[in-house]
Every structure is written in structure tokens, then in C-alpha cells.
Amino acid sequence: MAKLTDLMNGTHNSNASGDSRGNQPNGNDGSSMQSMDGNSAVQNSAHVLNANNVQVSMVPPYSAPPSYNFNFKFNINEDMFAKDSIDLLQTSGIQFNRLEEDGVNIVHFAELLMVSGLVLMDSVKWISFHSSYDYGYLLKLLSNQSLPDNEDQFYALLQIYFPLFYDVKFLMKSCKSLKGGLSDVGEQLDVPRIGPEHQAGSDSILTARIFFQMVKVYFEDHLDDDQYAGQLFGLGANK
């Protein structure tokens, strides 16, 4: 068992709460999976669709994280997308005409992310919520190749780029009183949302704050990495 403050503090440790938005073919807060097996759904989605927004929050424990929002170039008239997701984002205030004109070049973003110190680093802990699709998009982007055909290969590739990660939705399996999507869990834990719902920046910060509150309330500030790290809800037996 590792004490959370030992894991998360110190100059040699960093934490990133990440969220990508735009084309996840699932419900609010990423709370449902496709009827096909999890890996196939993620693989197919990442193959034909593109993310248009990534948020990374750098998280010291129990404090407000600085967050960085990257809006990618996206042409709503040419790029393939999941209509329900785009409608939801437009309602939440995403201006797709600005993404087409002023969005970040996604290839340049990948090049900078590779040398940022956020990936390929054992000392960086990633926190996410039901994030198989998010990681699928990022792996496709970082590796510049199609996703693997099976879950074992997917996990192997994932742990190269993101050696240590926690999925809040997976942790909820050990917190029987917590139910629902990201916003629901925040309300149950009395963790307020900052910013508008369904935008990557707000979701990223909320995910990080929920994680620390969950660990404090349900895990006594300790997490066993062998049991809880490196698992994604919705893949394999984690459904």
C-alpha cells in the first residue's frame, strides 16, 4: 500500500487529469459502452473519428489544479463525427467555426506531447473517468498507427505511453454507494463543478477533485497500485 501524499507530492512526481471530447459514441460522461466488445468499440471509434478537444490538469493534491485546454482544428462540414456528441458540445458552448479557423494542428500537438514529460514517464500519474475512448484517441495520435486488435495488446501499448493511470469509474466498483456518471459522483461526494458541464476543461478538473475525495473517503488515503492502477472500466472483466 502506498500513501497517496507520498505518491502525489514531490518534485519527482506529477499528476495529470486528462479528458478528450468530441466524438465518443457513448452516453453523458462516457458512462455507456457499445454492444460490441469494449476493445473493438474503442478501436473502431478511434479509426474513423477524431478528437477535437483535450484538457490536461496538473494536479497537486487537494488544491485547485492549473488546466490547459487544447482545441484542435476540426471541420464540421468535412470531418466525420458522432452527431449526438457534436450537438451536446455545441449546446455546451463549443464554437466549431473557430476550431476550423484557429484550432491547434493535432500532429504538432502530438509531437509536443511526446517530449512534454507527461507521457512515457513512470513518475506521472494519470487520472481519468471511464476513459477507454480517450486513451484510444491519444494512443492513435501518439503512436501514429491503428490501435491493436485485442485488449492485451491495447493495454500493453497504453502502459508504454501512460505507465501509471487510475480510472475513477473503475475505482467506483469498490465504492458501492457511488453510482452514475461524472456529475452524479461529484454531487454524491459534495465536489462542486467548476465551469460548464460536458466541456473537457470542466470535466478534467472535476475528475481530479473527485479522485482525491474518493481516495480520502473510501480508501483512507491509500491506494494499492497492484489492485487499482492500470485498469480501465468497460474493458475485459472491468464492466
Side-chain angles (χ1 to χ4, degrees), residues 85-95 195-200:
S85 295
I86 295 300
D87 290 344
L88 183 65
L89 290 173
Q90 288 179 319
T91 302
S92 300
I94 298 297
Q95 302 176 37
E197 189 174 5
H198 302 308
Q199 288 200 13

Side-chain angles (χ1 to χ4, degrees), residues 118-233:
L118 292 176
V119 297
L120 305 168
M121 300 290 290
D122 294 339
S123 60
V124 177
K125 284 79 174 176
W126 283 78
I127 304 164
S128 58
F129 185 93
H130 200 163
S131 48
S132 54
Y133 285 99
D134 301 282
Y135 282 120
Y137 289 125
L138 287 172
L139 285 178
K140 175 190 173 185
L141 182 61
L142 292 170
S143 67
N144 194 31
Q145 62 186 21
S146 298
L147 294 183
D149 292 329
N150 62 63
E151 290 179 359
D152 288 342
Q153 294 173 344
F154 177 82
Y155 270 119
L157 183 64
L158 179 60
Q159 289 175 345
I160 292 173
Y161 289 92
F162 304 93
L164 185 55
F165 59 88
Y166 305 96
D167 185 341
V168 170
K169 187 72 171 179
F170 175 75
L171 294 180
M172 286 170 58
K173 296 176 66 176
S174 298
C175 310
K176 299 303 182 184
S177 63
L178 296 180
K179 307 291 182 183
L182 184 64
S183 295
D184 300 319
V185 177
E187 291 176 2
Q188 292 162 42
L189 290 171
D190 294 322
V191 177
R193 176 182 285 278
I194 300 173
E197 189 174 5
H198 302 308
Q199 288 200 13
S202 177
D203 287 353
S204 176
I205 295 172
L206 183 60
T207 298
R209 298 180 71 187
I210 284 174
F211 172 81
F212 288 111
Q213 185 68 4
M214 282 178 64
V215 173
K216 179 180 179 181
V217 171
Y218 289 95
F219 299 94
E220 299 181 343
D221 276 338
H222 292 72
L223 273 182
D224 183 348
D225 286 348
D226 290 337
Q227 183 174 358
Y228 297 111
Q231 301 289 334
L232 294 177
F233 183 87

